[in-house]
Amino acid sequence: MAESVKVMIPEEEVSKRIEELGKKISEEYAGKQIHLICVLKGGVFFMCELAKRITVPVSMDFMSVSSYGDGTSSSGVVKIAKDLDESLEGKDVLVVEDIIDSGRTLYYLLEILAKRHPNSMKLCTLLDKPDRRVRDVKVDYVGFEIPDEFVVGYGLDYAQKYRNLPYIGVVEGVE
Ligand code: IMP
Ligand code: MG
């Protein structure tokens, strides 16, 4: 069977949900400025779409982490491959992720970022796979809870492919 992608969450549904999240976040941060942190590369599509739907002032920064693992599961030992450009001191930080799976990457990352003295720090993820959680991370905003399936699209990749799909899908036909 040739490799193909089956749609799990269509583009319109993803857009609608991001719109709702943007509205909720804008209300909860009324009168403040949000410092959005994107975890590259997967979080970038979601963060851009979300930022466009937030109506309070935002600033943005990007970081890249690599976690030592076997490719399909993370070990929890995270290396910062690209650090943030700006300090977090006194800022209202919102970390934006593509997906939380075991929670190991985020658990470790949030620990590092908390030491940089933000005024507040919250977490927003497009997708959450709660069944796979091994580290307890508090997620403040979730786009969709999904079952334990490997998904692609909207920034998520399978061997660096499919990040550009405008919907969330499941890869079929791979060993
Ligand atoms: P965690 O440390 O297990 O929570 O791993 C989180 C990271 O693994 C995410 O930021 C993704 O980069 C990657 N990941 C986890 N599940 C999937 C998936 O279903 N598709 C694509 N990447 C995934
Ligand atoms: Mg990620």
Side-chain angles (χ1 to χ4, degrees), residues 12 90 166:
E12 305 72 53

Short mmCIF file of all heavy atoms in Angstrom, two decimals, residues 12 90 166:
data_model
loop_
_atom_site.label_atom_id
_atom_site.label_comp_id
_atom_site.label_asym_id
_atom_site.label_seq_id
_atom_site.Cartn_x
_atom_site.Cartn_y
_atom_site.Cartn_z
N GLU A 12 -10.98 23.47 7.99
CA GLU A 12 -11.99 24.43 8.52
C GLU A 12 -12.16 24.26 10.03
O GLU A 12 -12.36 25.24 10.75
CB GLU A 12 -13.37 24.22 7.86
CG GLU A 12 -13.41 24.26 6.34
CD GLU A 12 -12.78 23.03 5.70
OE1 GLU A 12 -13.17 21.92 6.05
OE2 GLU A 12 -11.87 23.19 4.84
N GLY A 90 9.94 39.38 33.68
CA GLY A 90 8.75 40.22 33.83
C GLY A 90 7.70 40.05 32.75
O GLY A 90 6.68 40.75 32.77
N PRO A 166 -2.49 21.62 5.30
CA PRO A 166 -3.32 22.59 6.05
C PRO A 166 -4.32 21.92 6.99
O PRO A 166 -5.19 22.59 7.53
CB PRO A 166 -4.00 23.38 4.93
CG PRO A 166 -4.08 22.43 3.80
CD PRO A 166 -2.90 21.51 3.89
#
